[in-house]
Amino acid sequence: MDYLVLQMLNGVQLGLLMFLLAAGLTLTFGIMDLVNLAHGSLYMMGAYIAWTLIGWTDSFVLGAILALPATFLLGIAVEAVVMRRLYARDHLDQVLATFGLILFFNELVRVIWGPAGKSIAVPQFLSHTVDILPGVPYPAYRFAIIAVGAVVAVLLAWLVARTRVGMLIRAGASNRRMIGALGINIELLFSLVFGLGAVFAALAGLMAAPLTSIKIGMGDDILILAFVIIVIGGIGSIKGAFVAAMVVGQIDIVGRAFLPDFLKTFMSSAAASSAAPAISQVLVYVLMAGVLVWRPTGLFGQRN
Amino acid sequence: MAALLASLRTPRGLIVALILLVFAILPLLTQAFDQRYLLSIGTRIVIWSIAAVSLNMILGYGGLVSFGHAVFFGIGGYAVGILAANGLQSGWLQWPVAIAASVLWAALVGALSLRTRGVYFIMITLAFAQLVYYVSAGLEAYGADDGLNISRSRFDGLIDLRDKASFYWLCFVLLLGTLWFCSRFANSRFGFVIRGAKSNDLRMTALGFPVFRYRLAAFTLSGAFGGLAGILLANEGAYVSPAMMSWVKSGDLIVIVVLGGMGTLFGPLYGTIAFFVLEESLKPLLDLGHKGWGEYWQIVFGPMLVLIALYARGGIDSLLGRRHG
């Protein structure tokens, strides 16, 4: 029982990280109609930039906070140099160009930071454990991720649902040309949204760094998962991205945690522990296929 | 035949003829100049060309951006590999099973993914490819992440695939066959329905064509040839692994098709050659600038892709002047 609670919390934590990554993706997708494969590169760059800044400032919090505006600027620059030219193009051009960007960023990281992976230590003040239930300890750092993720999710929901910028974002997602015609500065809005997406991706990357490790291509595999999430949730829908990220987080973690025991009932234990992560990954894709057959534009996507 | 000869008089026809001629005698050339390494690159170019031609059928002619085509490398390869690991070495068994597996998977994926449009189609094809990738990475009995060493398929008494030149020529003949099939496909009524649906599928539907079924058929055919490329790739390296079907390979295939010229018969061939030549030449070129830079060739190649996407949509084929028919 305690184990189940712990694993579900891990699922929530993974889900929130995935949501941060998926939120930027679904916004650029929904508003600019842009397939940005390089979003995972921003996740990676966020982690590497944070690693450098944490080294300079000798403080996790300070380094992390400084990394966010830095990736915002990076996002704005990428948008201005490449993405802006891609909005009017078809999806194939976007896939091709952003695929090129992935190769570029992966090599760039190798040139600047070298081929070896980096690690960020869990900050001192979060390296203890917290009792979530009496006698059930949980790492404070993971708890902090859940807290930050939840706060950002609420902030984002507030931004999208209650502010003028959010109103423009929602209007842009449903009819891009119309808000342009109404005299809104779309270029500025697009830059802003892209920069915001980059910040969320970087935040996810740097928060995930102490749990895993920072390495080249770290954003690529997780990006595909983020795409699966926004496709399940419906492109352009923040709510859909949140629901899907939570579900996928649970499937992934709970699958990894409980499938081996289940599989061991009819397989050798080595085979079971090797097959379990694969099966929990497969379950995520089966879920997506099921959702798309049932609703071809995702759970909360616009139907036309 | 007369038409074939006539096409030789155009620059495009001449270039195609020249490329095919060089490919036809490549083992002789590499032997004469003692460049064995070039033959192995040549073999891979020919195999990747088969895959690129097959992707071009749906991507170039059909406008269906499948982002999971490398999965057929994996399915064709693993069908051969799994049979070989169980002691079934005969190519007469391995190859048909591998093609059948590719066809079945393509039919299944096509039936589900062709219901969706646009970005959803891109993502669902990618997701299905990832699914197979993760399944293969979980196959403990067949090497899991590390892959599986196999011996080449055996066609006893007919051809010895361990001989590098024989294997190369087999791949080349299969490429010619694939190109022939693709040209028949592109100019048939079936091909015209696929091409029509690319420019306006509502209109094709209104004209009474069951577009979904046509696309499914094309998707399945494309998968069959993709599987063939997978069989050859597994035999070429005598090795199969999940990395064969990583999504980056699917991306590479799209790059090749666009680079060569979408919806043209020989575009995939140009694209594959250009892709491999770029890869092999950027490294030494960068090394010339500074020793060790060659390792970072993708830092140049990446932005090149961006520029190609932005400014060179017609691909290499369009550089050869306008097409006739």
Side-chain angles (χ1 to χ4, degrees), chain B residues 207-218:
Chain B
L207 284 170
F209 290 103
V211 169
F212 175 80
R213 273 187 264 158
Y214 273 88
R215 281 183 165 157
L216 183 57

Side-chain angles (χ1 to χ4, degrees), chain B residues 234-322:
Chain B
N235 274 295
E236 194 265 336
Y239 174 67
V240 291
S241 77
M244 282 169 88
M245 50 179 144
S246 90
W247 66 279
V248 177
K249 304 274 188 220
S250 296
D252 287 343
L253 279 171
I254 294 181
V255 168
I256 285 173
V257 171
V258 175
L259 184 65
M262 292 205 304
T264 63
L265 182 57
F266 291 102
L269 193 60
Y270 309 143
T272 315
I273 295 170
F275 186 85
F276 277 83
V277 167
L278 272 177
E279 179 174 352
E280 295 296 328
S281 63
L282 273 177
K283 289 181 201 170
L285 269 179
L286 287 172
D287 268 334
L288 273 186
H290 186 281
K291 192 80 198 134
W293 282 3
E295 198 191 333
Y296 306 118
W297 65 282
Q298 290 196 329
I299 212 163
V300 178
F301 187 63
M304 277 174 73
L305 290 187
V306 177
L307 292 176
I308 289 167
L310 288 175
Y311 303 112
R313 270 307 296 276
I316 296 169
D317 188 82
S318 66
L319 300 177
L320 304 177
R322 287 177 54 117

Side-chain angles (χ1 to χ4, degrees), chain A residues 29 37 89-93 96-97 100 102 104 107 110 220 224 227 235 274 278 282 285 288-289 292-293 297, chain B residues 67 112 119-120 123-124 127-128 134-135 140 247-248 254-255 258 262 295-296 298-299 302 306 309-310 313:
Chain A
F29 229 148
L37 297 181
R89 301 304 196 88
D90 63 20
H91 291 140
L92 180 60
D93 286 351
L96 200 62
I102 291 181
F104 172 76
E107 284 308 82
R110 207 139 71 97
D220 300 347
I224 295 176
F227 267 116
I235 288 166
S274 151
V282 167
Y285 294 107
M288 173 174 124
L292 280 185
V293 170
T297 54
Chain B
F67 201 165
L112 292 172
V119 180
Y120 290 99
M123 289 307 140
I124 197 168
F128 276 117
Y134 285 116
V135 168
E140 190 69 20
W247 66 279
V248 177
I254 294 181
V255 168
V258 175
M262 292 205 304
E295 198 191 333
Y296 306 118
Q298 290 196 329
I299 212 163
V306 177
L310 288 175
R313 270 307 296 276

Side-chain angles (χ1 to χ4, degrees), chain A residues 157-215:
Chain A
W158 171 77
L159 178 81
V160 170
R162 292 272 180 265
T163 64
R164 185 175 160 75
V165 172
M167 190 177 74
L168 294 178
I169 288 175
R170 278 178 293 135
S174 66
N175 195 333
R176 185 164 53 252
R177 283 165 70 194
M178 184 58 88
I179 63 164
L182 290 172
I184 305 301
N185 184 346
I186 305 191
E187 268 104 61
L188 186 67
L189 180 67
F190 283 6
S191 293
L192 203 69
V193 169
F194 196 89
L196 205 62
V199 168
F200 287 147
L203 182 61
L206 73 90
M207 286 204 303
L211 300 179
T212 56
S213 69
I214 308 178
K215 58 177 191 281

Side-chain angles (χ1 to χ4, degrees), chain B residues 58-273:
Chain B
I58 49 171
L59 174 64
Y61 292 107
L64 301 167
V65 185
S66 166
F67 201 165
H69 204 65
V71 77
F72 297 109
F73 281 155
I75 291 180
Y78 265 90
V80 169
I82 288 174
L83 289 176
N86 288 306
L88 298 163
Q89 301 289 349
S90 167
W92 298 114
L93 177 72
Q94 288 178 351
W95 292 35
V97 168
I99 301 280
S102 307
V103 164
L104 274 178
W105 184 251
L108 179 70
V109 171
L112 292 172
S113 61
L114 288 168
R115 288 173 200 282
T116 61
R117 291 276 167 275
V119 180
Y120 290 99
F121 180 79
I122 300 178
M123 289 307 140
I124 197 168
T125 47
L126 173 61
F128 276 117
Q130 287 299 103
L131 198 153
V132 179
Y133 175 88
Y134 285 116
V135 168
S136 74
L139 289 176
E140 190 69 20
Y142 300 104
D145 274 328
D146 299 329
L148 185 64
N149 285 309
I150 58 170
S151 56
R152 293 191 174 185
S153 306
R154 290 172 65 160
F155 290 94
D156 285 337
L158 188 70
I159 183 172
D160 184 2
L161 298 188
R162 282 169 302 179
D163 177 52
K164 290 207 160 78
S166 310
F167 180 64
Y168 172 83
W169 269 312
L170 176 68
C171 294
F172 180 66
V173 168
L174 288 171
L175 171 63
L176 289 183
T178 308
L179 283 168
W180 174 80
F181 182 88
C182 185
S183 81
R184 295 299 304 256
F185 159 79
N187 295 306
S188 65
R189 180 175 173 278
F190 173 50
F192 273 91
V193 174
I194 296 292
R195 291 158 84 170
K198 176 191 181 182
S199 50
N200 193 337
D201 64 342
L202 268 179
R203 190 178 211 167
M204 292 309 285
T205 310
L207 284 170
F209 290 103
V211 169
F212 175 80
R213 273 187 264 158
Y214 273 88
R215 281 183 165 157
L216 183 57
F219 195 88
T220 309
L221 273 174
S222 164
F225 283 99
L228 175 66
I231 296 172
L232 296 175
L233 210 57
N235 274 295
E236 194 265 336
Y239 174 67
V240 291
S241 77
M244 282 169 88
M245 50 179 144
S246 90
W247 66 279
V248 177
K249 304 274 188 220
S250 296
D252 287 343
L253 279 171
I254 294 181
V255 168
I256 285 173
V257 171
V258 175
L259 184 65
M262 292 205 304
T264 63
L265 182 57
F266 291 102
L269 193 60
Y270 309 143
T272 315
I273 295 170

